[in-house]
Amino acid sequence: MWHELCRQLQALEEKTQKRKLVRTESAGAWATINGTTMLNLASNNYLGLANDKRIIEAGVQAARTYGAGATASRLIVGNCPLYEEVETAVAKWKGSEAALVINSGYNANVGIISALAGRDGVVFSDKLNHASIIDGAILSRAEVKRYRHNDIDHLEELLRKTDERKRKIIVTDTVFSMDGDVAPLRALVELKKKYNAWLMIDEAHASGVYGEKGEGLAHHVGVSEHVDIHIGTFSKALGVFGAYVAGSRTLIDYLVNHMRPLIFTTALPPAVLGSIQAAVAIVQEEKERRAQLRELSAYFRNTLKELGFNIGASETHIVPIIIGDNERAVRFSEQLQASGIAAVAIRPPTVPEGSARIRFSLMATMTKQQLDWALESIVRAGRAMGVIG
Ligand SMILES: *Cc1c(COP(=O)(O)O)cnc(C)c1O
């Protein structure tokens, strides 16, 4: 039995797809990886809040008040008072009737899709959606129809061919995690109305980053009230952990009664809730973080493009350099790491075969000087490897 697993690991090694865990300490713009300090262009700490003193202190205080662990699931005796406070704050922030805090973004997607779709439903999912959406759709036992990435015509064709009596859920990331491009939300809203479907959006990479108060891309675009199910995480731009779903009171009550990753798991530790509460307040107020991130991202993208790199359709703070071949992508990232830049090669199955890439993500607390310094090394590595001329 172990022999077979070893063989499979070897096969991964041969395709340069074997991964391993690397010791990492990350604090703000810099990370220490295997003992070497590097500019951290690989984290999801987009607003630089993960090591914010106020957010850390709020967590410490919550642990002192309520203990280290929740002691039970939320429906038993784990529903610490901070839950209600955070959920009220999130609903207000998102402009929705109600909200629910969930243990992670992964659990949110798996739990919500499987609770809502049901065996007779149909889930329409963008081909580049996050793995947790795919897993939720599979677990729901609903029929899953995957549409070509951001292809509204393809989605409409699939909707048209679906029995109109069936429950239909369209699910999409708003900012795509490996490409840094954005979903066509206005067109999706039109389709969901035309075909009487629910629209569920995952703002994992947009919460805190887009919208006047960091509500997300749907607010930025002005379609939030037409979205039935809003999901976002506290684990990326908000710098903490956990996720939320926002929507109608009925939706939230239904999930409390049907969502297995909420019912059958221990509630979040109070420290996490305390930190989330502080982060939700800070993210709404400190608009300059969003502005700085936007400016740095545009600068980084434009410079790479001018230098001749293929950054795909990125228009956000997530910027890939698409290389293609796995081994070249890995070598590129090794060269960057050797010159003090943490940027990770992303390979299949995380991205489609033949589209291995380096994924860069920016942080509001970085400086333009730091980016210029990184860009020099990126250019050097890119020329040495023939990625650019
Ligand atoms: C990161 C991510 C998740 C998972 O969130 P976690 O809180 O890390 O579990 C879900 N959806 C998308 C689009 C993500 O990028």
Side-chain angles (χ1 to χ4, degrees):
M1 172 184 146
W2 297 115
H3 180 75
E4 173 60 17
L5 301 193
C6 280
R7 219 182 45 72
Q8 288 179 14
L9 284 169
Q10 247 160 23
L12 283 177
E13 180 104 59
E14 280 155 24
K15 288 192 288 180
T16 329
Q17 282 188 17
K18 188 170 168 211
R19 295 130 193 251
K20 58 179 194 297
L21 297 166
V22 179
R23 187 187 170 102
T24 311
E25 289 165 67
S26 149
W30 300 93
T32 305
I33 299 176
N34 272 342
T36 310
T37 299
M38 303 181 197
L39 188 67
N40 192 354
L41 288 171
S43 88
N44 299 325
N45 183 18
Y46 305 129
L47 298 178
L49 289 173
N51 56 341
D52 186 280
K53 297 258 182 324
R54 298 162 294 177
I55 294 175
I56 295 168
E57 191 51 37
V60 170
Q61 285 304 332
R64 289 224 169 90
T65 308
Y66 298 107
T71 80
S73 70
R74 292 188 67 181
L75 285 168
I76 308 298
V77 289
N79 199 40
C80 154
L82 290 172
Y83 267 113
E84 195 182 315
E85 292 174 26
V86 170
E87 287 169 350
T88 304
V90 169
K92 188 161 174 247
W93 175 37
K94 299 287 293 183
S96 60
E97 217 170 82
L100 188 66
V101 172
I102 296 160
N103 285 21
S104 73
Y106 185 90
N107 278 303
N109 281 326
V110 164
I112 293 164
I113 298 171
S114 58
L116 290 180
R119 257 174 228 276
D120 303 323
V122 185
V123 177
F124 299 84
S125 174
D126 187 290
K127 278 207 169 144
L128 294 189
N129 275 345
H130 190 261
S132 54
I133 294 176
I134 297 164
D135 292 1
I138 292 170
L139 196 63
S140 73
R141 301 194 184 91
E143 187 182 353
V144 183
K145 299 190 177 185
R146 298 177 77 195
Y147 58 93
R148 287 189 292 272
H149 178 50
N150 278 349
D151 187 337
I152 285 295
D153 294 336
H154 188 208
L155 172 59
E156 175 150 27
E157 185 188 323
L158 295 175
L159 282 163
R160 205 184 313 114
K161 286 183 191 154
T162 302
D163 183 340
E164 61 184 38
R165 289 161 305 182
K166 287 198 165 171
R167 179 180 296 173
K168 298 176 280 296
I169 310 179
I170 303 168
V171 193
T172 186
D173 288 15
T174 57
V175 170
F176 287 86
S177 54
M178 297 300 146
D179 291 76
D181 57 347
V182 301
L185 290 180
R186 279 206 193 88
L188 288 171
V189 164
E190 280 181 16
L191 279 191
K192 84 127 217 168
K193 286 184 181 161
K194 183 166 171 192
Y195 291 91
N196 195 25
W198 286 338
L199 178 59
M200 166 169 160
I201 63 172
D202 180 346
E203 300 259 30
H205 296 281
S207 286
V209 175
Y210 286 94
E212 179 60 22
K213 293 185 182 167
E215 304 95 319
L217 193 74
H219 285 74
H220 176 76
V221 174
V223 297
S224 71
E225 69 272 29
H226 303 294
V227 173
D228 303 280
I229 304 145
H230 296 258
I231 287 166
T233 58
F234 304 119
S235 50
K236 289 173 176 147
L238 279 86
V240 191
F241 183 76
Y244 63 80
V245 51
S248 68
R249 186 75 251 166
T250 306
L251 168 71
I252 302 305
D253 289 348
Y254 183 86
L255 291 175
V256 168
N257 285 277
H258 287 89
M259 184 177 157
R260 295 170 70 86
L262 179 98
I263 300 169
F264 297 108
T265 199
T266 298
L268 285 172
V272 171
L273 292 166
S275 288
I276 291 173
Q277 189 171 37
V280 168
I282 289 168
V283 86
Q284 296 181 63
E285 273 169 27
E286 300 188 353
K287 299 179 170 47
E288 62 283 2
R289 290 177 188 266
R290 277 184 281 286
Q292 175 75 358
L293 182 64
R294 201 174 315 119
E295 197 177 313
L296 288 174
S297 303
Y299 177 68
F300 191 71
R301 284 194 316 267
N302 292 338
T303 311
L304 286 179
K305 241 192 287 188
E306 278 163 21
L307 287 162
F309 286 103
N310 175 7
I311 66 163
S314 169
E315 48 181 289
T316 64
H317 52 291
I318 297 169
V319 187
I321 289 184
I322 299 164
I323 311 272
D325 179 63
N326 291 346
E327 202 188 330
R328 276 181 95 209
V330 170
R331 266 196 296 130
F332 199 143
S333 77
E334 284 169 354
Q335 289 209 18
L336 292 179
Q337 291 182 18
S339 45
I341 294 157
V344 177
I346 309 284
R347 289 160 280 174
T350 308
V351 293
E353 284 295 335
S355 75
R357 65 197 62 190
I358 312 291
R359 174 189 186 267
F360 297 95
S361 48
L362 303 177
M363 201 183 292
T365 46
M366 287 175 173
T367 63
K368 209 163 156 227
Q369 285 71 21
Q370 286 171 333
L371 288 189
D372 281 334
W373 175 79
L375 282 160
E376 271 177 40
S377 299
I378 294 168
V379 170
R380 212 176 316 119
R383 293 218 171 101
M385 290 187 49
V387 174
I388 50 168

